[in-house]
């Protein structure tokens, strides 16, 4: 890396904009980093004005994070190649279904010494079956190493500078120190671990469980039932990593990326909220996305579909009944009321006498 580390944020939704507040302020404050932080913004027209121009003039993302000022050194750029070309650190924070297209645009147009950091919670369905982690996809498409940041980090609360923790998964401890410096604040505490795959998988799978929590809320089943969903969901998350990504550490699930993110997403966050409305209104997930998410996409149902694709290909749907039931409910194969049967009959409730 050069003497002054240049940073680009690829994405500008509510999470990307919340992160821009932290990254912009730290880049300005720390001598290690170049002041100017570029942020790739998908260009949209808002009340007759370009969103990038609004952000660069008012320093506010009026569509995705209204009411919060972004640091003036964060510059919105509508061309992803222009935004990323000089960056030493590329922070990816876009919906995971867009990462392949962005990778194609950026290949060969970025510094060969650049490193990636994925804040993206989801999987990609690999060609020919199976799943691919987004950090692996970024490495494959851009030929750069990619770490991950995941945690109990609801964007609105991070933007409001309420205290929270996060987890960075990084195998190179020299890069890890730079990444930690870029994100660490008194109210955004960072723990670095080297178990990168497990950190990333937790960030994706918890969105499936959050849909289950939303179904519970929609049916008015109470906090005890939701606690059961969280526990059973955590058990399936651990089992999934053990089966498909062996070698991960159990301790990783007790970092912010694991149990903490699972809890906060099952009590707050859009996956829980939309899934509750799904039960109460009878509308489809797509209809509710359009009504409730201001143009953003829900990650839980997509991730559930990708996980089910992998489980089905291995004949393992019955080994993950919670994940399987949530997928079937999201796609309309099973009524939400069938979720309670899944909980009652979960293998975890079978007697285990020695």
């Amino acid at each position: 890396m050069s003497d002054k580390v240049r940073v680009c944020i690829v994405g500008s939704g509510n999470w990307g904009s919340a992160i821009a507040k932290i990254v912009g302020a730290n880049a300005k404050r720390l001598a290690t980093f170049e002041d100017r932080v570029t942020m790739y913004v998908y260009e949209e027209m808002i009340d007759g004005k370009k969103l990038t121009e609004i952000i660069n003039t008012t320093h506010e993302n009026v569509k995705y994070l209204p009411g919060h000022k972004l640091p003036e050194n964060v510059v919105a750029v509508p061309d992803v190649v222009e935004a990323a070309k000089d960056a030493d650190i590329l922070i990816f924070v876009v919906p995971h279904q867009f990462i392949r297209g962005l990778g194609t645009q950026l290949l060969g147009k970025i510094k060969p010494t650049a490193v990636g950091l994925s804040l993206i919670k989801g999987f990609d369905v690999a060609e020919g079956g199976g799943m691919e982690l987004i950090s692996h996809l970024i490495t494959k498409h851009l030929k750069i190493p990619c770490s991950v940041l995941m945690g109990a980090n609801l964007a609105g609360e991070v933007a409001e500078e309420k205290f929270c923790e996060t987890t960075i998964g990084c195998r190179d401890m020299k890069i890890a120190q730079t990444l930690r410096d870029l994100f660490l604040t008194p109210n955004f505490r960072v723990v670095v671990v080297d178990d990168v795959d497990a950190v990333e998988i937790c960030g994706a799978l918890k969105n499936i469980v959050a849909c289950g929590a939303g179904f519970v809320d929609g049916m008015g089943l109470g906090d005890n039932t939701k606690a059961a969903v969280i526990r059973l969901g955590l058990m399936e998350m651990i089992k999934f990593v053990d089966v498909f990504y062996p070698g991960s550490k159990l301790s990783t699930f007790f970092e912010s990326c694991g149990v903490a993110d699972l809890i906060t997403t099952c009590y707050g966050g859009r996956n829980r909220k939309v899934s509750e409305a799904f039960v109460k209104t009878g509308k489809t997930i797509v209809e509710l996305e359009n009504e409730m998410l201001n143009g953003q996409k829900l990650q839980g149902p997509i991730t559930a579909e990708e996980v089910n694709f992998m489980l089905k290909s291995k004949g393992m749907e019955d080994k993950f009944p919670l994940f399987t039931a949530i997928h079937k409910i999201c796609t309309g194969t099973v009524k939400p009321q069938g979720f309670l049967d899944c909980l009652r009959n979960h293998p975890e409730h079978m007697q285990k006498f020695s």
Side-chain angles (χ1 to χ4, degrees):
M1 288 185 182
S2 60
D3 290 342
K4 289 272 191 180
V5 178
R6 295 172 184 264
V7 180
C8 170
I9 301 167
V10 181
S12 58
N14 64 339
W15 183 214
S17 298
I19 281 299
K21 285 189 67 175
I22 292 173
V23 168
N26 279 346
K28 184 83 172 171
R29 181 176 62 84
L30 299 170
T32 317
F33 299 96
E34 185 71 37
D35 280 4
R36 184 177 186 265
V37 173
T38 56
M39 180 171 71
Y40 164 61
V41 175
Y42 178 78
E43 193 69 281
E44 301 177 64
M45 299 302 291
I46 310 290
D47 296 329
K49 295 181 180 178
K50 292 180 178 178
L51 182 56
T52 51
E53 291 178 1
I54 295 171
I55 292 172
N56 290 333
T57 304
T58 67
H59 308 292
E60 180 183 353
N61 188 335
V62 293
K63 178 161 186 183
Y64 295 115
L65 197 67
H68 292 278
K69 287 292 181 184
L70 302 180
E72 293 187 7
N73 58 313
V74 175
V75 180
V77 181
D79 182 327
V80 70
V81 174
E82 184 64 28
K85 65 181 183 181
D86 296 323
D88 299 296
I89 297 174
L90 292 163
I91 300 168
F92 292 92
V93 55
V94 293
H96 74 279
Q97 54 269 36
F98 299 131
I99 202 66
R100 281 181 184 268
L102 289 172
T104 301
Q105 290 180 64
L106 290 172
L107 181 61
K109 310 274 180 62
I110 58 173
K111 286 185 175 181
T113 54
V115 298
L117 180 71
S118 174
L119 278 61
I120 301 168
K121 296 180 176 180
F123 296 113
D124 191 75
V125 177
E127 293 167 17
M131 290 183 326
E132 197 153 19
L133 298 183
I134 300 300
S135 64
H136 295 189
L137 197 64
I138 290 168
T139 293
K140 183 167 84 174
H141 280 270
L142 294 181
K143 318 298 182 194
I144 60 173
C146 188
S147 302
V148 299
L149 182 150
M150 304 282 159
N153 307 143
L154 294 177
E157 294 183 13
V158 172
E160 289 164 7
E161 300 178 30
K162 294 178 177 176
F163 178 87
C164 68
E165 304 171 311
T166 200
T167 310
I168 289 178
C170 182
R171 295 184 183 90
D172 184 329
M173 285 302 113
K174 282 177 67 178
I175 293 171
Q177 183 63 55
T178 302
L179 294 175
R180 183 174 182 271
D181 290 346
L182 184 59
F183 286 90
L184 185 66
T185 77
N187 285 326
F188 196 73
R189 308 308 290 174
V190 181
V191 174
V192 179
V193 300
D194 62 3
D195 195 6
V196 182
D197 288 355
V199 171
E200 183 169 3
I201 294 163
C202 283
L205 295 181
K206 58 93 186 183
N207 282 329
I208 303 177
V209 185
C211 290
F215 299 154
V216 166
D217 288 340
M219 291 184 282
L221 296 175
D223 284 340
N224 292 341
T225 308
K226 192 190 286 191
V229 169
I230 292 171
R231 187 188 78 85
L232 294 170
L234 180 62
M235 297 295 289
E236 290 197 11
M237 287 167 61
I238 293 169
K239 184 192 290 186
F240 185 91
V241 172
D242 191 45
V243 169
F244 293 102
Y245 296 88
S248 294
K249 300 167 186 171
L250 186 62
S251 60
T252 303
F253 293 91
F254 297 95
E255 297 291 347
S256 183
C257 62
V259 67
D261 196 9
L262 180 61
I263 291 168
T264 198
T265 312
C266 286
Y267 278 92
R270 67 184 76 152
N271 288 282
R272 188 218 62 79
K273 183 179 176 183
V274 174
S275 296
E276 179 182 6
F278 176 77
V279 175
K280 287 183 171 178
T281 66
K283 295 178 180 178
T284 67
I285 295 290
V286 173
E287 286 172 331
L288 291 167
E289 278 179 336
N290 293 334
E291 287 180 20
M292 300 173 68
L293 296 184
N294 196 24
Q296 298 192 94
K297 287 291 180 186
L298 205 61
Q299 296 299 308
I302 300 171
T303 305
E305 183 177 3
E306 291 159 354
V307 165
N308 187 257
F309 181 91
M310 193 164 183
L311 294 178
K312 191 177 283 187
S313 70
K314 303 283 186 185
M316 297 187 74
E317 284 179 293
D318 61 327
K319 304 289 187 189
F320 295 85
L322 191 80
F323 289 170
T324 301
I326 290 167
H327 168 64
K328 288 181 176 178
I329 292 167
C330 286
T331 55
T333 310
V334 171
K335 296 287 185 191
Q337 290 68 27
F339 191 50
L340 198 53
D341 289 333
C342 164
L343 300 179
R344 290 182 179 123
N345 301 318
H346 197 284
E348 272 295 305
H349 297 140
M350 300 301 105
Q351 293 285 4
K352 299 175 185 174
F353 297 119
S354 56

